[in-house]
Amino acid sequence: IAGITQAPTSQILAAGRRMTLRCTQDMRHNAMYWYRQDLGLGLRLIHYSNTAGTTGKGEVPDGYSVSRANTDDFPLTLASAVPSQTSVYFCASTPEGGGGAGNEQFFGPGTRLTVL
Amino acid sequence: GQNIDQPTEMTATEGAIVQINCTYQTSGFNGLFWYQQHAGEAPTFLSYNVLDGLEEKGRFSSFLSRSKGYSYLLLKELQMKDSASYLCAVIDSNYQLIWGAGTKLIIKP
């Protein structure tokens, strides 16, 4: 079934630990995105990639890193987790970077992360 | 700064009509999306507007006025399954997507 998968579904993590959230899509979309969603704040962009081999910083990139070695995978790494990174993390993709008709974002099911 | 405003919460009755407003102040405009998000789930695409006017898609319609920085999502013949959050998002001049905080819609029987 075409779409985006994320792993893990949820995780409880001790502060200071390193964690990688996985994201894989099989739609051959060029652009991929990582968001965090916190109550009352809406979706905030962490990092994005318009095509394999390139990445860019979003609104809230500090404490996070990404890589885009191929079209399908876009992992997000927390080098040393802090409690303020407790959130729901969504990965998304679009056929191309930027906006436009037919370029709506497809979202993965999300990862609920708690940092203690 | 860039800003998108939506009501935090709205309540409506099953079978009725509800209008969810979105006003935006962004650096440029290259389109506006509406997404639906059920509790505990991912957002899903509802509509896209880039020109002024009304786009109708079944029970859902979306309106845009670029001169007023304003959009609304109109939901007709409300069903209980329409209980969800509705997110407005604007594409700015840098083709970045700016998200509103969402409107939680509660449907009562």
Side-chain angles (χ1 to χ4, degrees):
Chain A
I1 297 176
I4 301 181
T5 58
Q6 292 185 236
T9 302
S10 65
Q11 182 75 44
I12 299 174
L13 189 66
R17 297 297 295 268
R18 180 184 179 90
M19 175 75 189
T20 295
L21 308 184
R22 300 184 297 279
C23 175
T24 300
Q25 53 103 358
D26 63 0
M27 297 177 284
R28 307 304 294 172
H29 284 178
N30 281 318
M32 297 186 74
Y33 312 83
W34 273 106
Y35 292 95
R36 59 178 291 172
Q37 186 174 40
D38 302 290
L39 196 63
L41 294 180
L43 289 162
R44 292 184 291 169
L45 183 66
I46 304 171
H47 285 286
Y48 66 93
S49 168
N50 283 332
T51 189
T54 69
T55 62
K57 294 182 179 180
E59 180 187 356
V60 289
D62 294 344
Y64 305 94
S65 64
V66 292
S67 61
R68 186 86 185 279
N70 57 61
T71 298
D72 298 345
D73 301 299
F74 191 42
L76 176 74
T77 298
L78 289 68
S80 179
V82 295
S84 62
Q85 292 177 312
T86 293
S87 188
V88 179
Y89 290 85
F90 286 104
C91 180
S93 71
T94 54
E96 302 296 336
N103 208 38
E104 65 268 19
Q105 300 212 347
F106 291 82
F107 286 83
T111 294
R112 185 174 297 275
L113 182 67
T114 302
V115 182
L116 301 176
Chain B
Q2 310 211 80
N3 194 52
I4 296 182
D5 287 319
Q6 304 178 235
T8 302
E9 187 174 296
M10 299 181 70
T11 302
T13 303
E14 188 177 17
I17 299 173
V18 70
Q19 177 176 310
I20 301 173
N21 295 326
C22 170
T23 58
Y24 60 89
Q25 294 171 312
T26 56
S27 58
F29 177 86
N30 281 298
L32 184 145
F33 290 97
W34 282 96
Y35 284 78
Q36 180 189 58
Q37 185 177 24
H38 285 102
E41 298 182 7
T44 55
F45 169 75
L46 284 178
S47 67
Y48 173 76
N49 294 72
V50 66
L51 300 176
D52 290 351
L54 189 69
E55 294 280 343
E56 297 186 79
K57 192 184 292 186
R59 294 189 298 115
F60 292 8
S61 303
S62 56
F63 172 83
L64 174 67
S65 169
R66 289 173 295 171
S67 63
K68 295 182 179 179
Y70 168 70
S71 173
Y72 67 72
L73 181 68
L74 191 71
L75 291 74
K76 303 176 184 177
E77 302 170 12
L78 286 170
Q79 302 175 9
M80 297 304 292
K81 67 178 182 179
D82 297 330
S83 292
S85 289
Y86 292 86
L87 314 179
C88 174
V90 172
I91 306 165
D92 71 8
S93 57
N94 294 318
Y95 289 93
Q96 296 293 319
L97 201 55
I98 312 299
W99 294 84
T103 298
K104 182 178 180 179
L105 178 63
I106 299 167
I107 310 296
K108 295 187 174 180

